[in-house]
Amino acid sequence: MSLESSIDTSIRGHCQDNNWLWIKLWPFVKGFPDRVLLCPGGMVTFVELKRSPDEKLTYIQEYWCASLERMGFRVLRGVSSWAELEARVST
C-alpha cells in the first residue's frame, strides 16, 4: 500500500465519522483531483492528495485545479493528512 493510499484510508474513516462523503474519482481525465468531498450544507470540495505537504502538483494537476476554481469550486491542493483536511475545510 502506498503512502497516498494510507492517507486516503485514514481520511475516509474520519469522513465517515463526520457524515462527510469522501468519493474517489475514477481517473478518466489525467490530472483531475483525486477525491471529491461532499459535506452537509451542500459544500463540494475537490481534493488532490500528496504524500507530503512539500510535494508539488504536476502541470496538468495544477491546470485542473485552477480550472475548477475558475468555475467556482473549492479545491484543496496537496492534502497529506486528516488533520490538514479538517483544518482547511473548516476555514
Side-chain angles (χ1 to χ4, degrees):
M1 182 185 296
S2 74
L3 184 54
E4 200 168 288
S5 294
S6 299
I7 294 165
D8 178 61
T9 300
S10 172
I11 291 174
R12 185 178 339 113
H14 288 290
C15 286
Q16 289 171 345
D17 293 344
N18 286 282
N19 293 319
W20 297 357
L21 295 177
W22 181 245
I23 300 170
K24 179 177 182 173
L25 296 174
W26 195 256
F28 291 114
V29 180
K30 185 176 181 171
F32 203 77
D34 298 312
R35 305 289 183 272
V36 175
L37 175 63
L38 304 175
C39 296
M43 186 181 74
V44 177
T45 303
F46 290 88
V47 181
E48 181 60 43
L49 296 174
K50 289 295 175 191
R51 291 182 293 266
S52 75
D54 300 330
E55 190 176 352
K56 303 287 185 201
L57 273 63
T58 64
Y59 171 81
I60 194 69
Q61 288 172 326
E62 191 57 54
Y63 166 83
W64 278 113
C65 288
S67 296
L68 289 164
E69 287 174 331
R70 281 193 301 275
M71 293 176 67
F73 291 105
R74 184 176 190 180
V75 179
L76 300 180
R77 295 165 170 81
V79 172
S80 60
S81 70
W82 162 251
E84 180 184 356
L85 177 67
E86 185 179 39
R88 291 173 67 184
V89 166
S90 299
T91 59

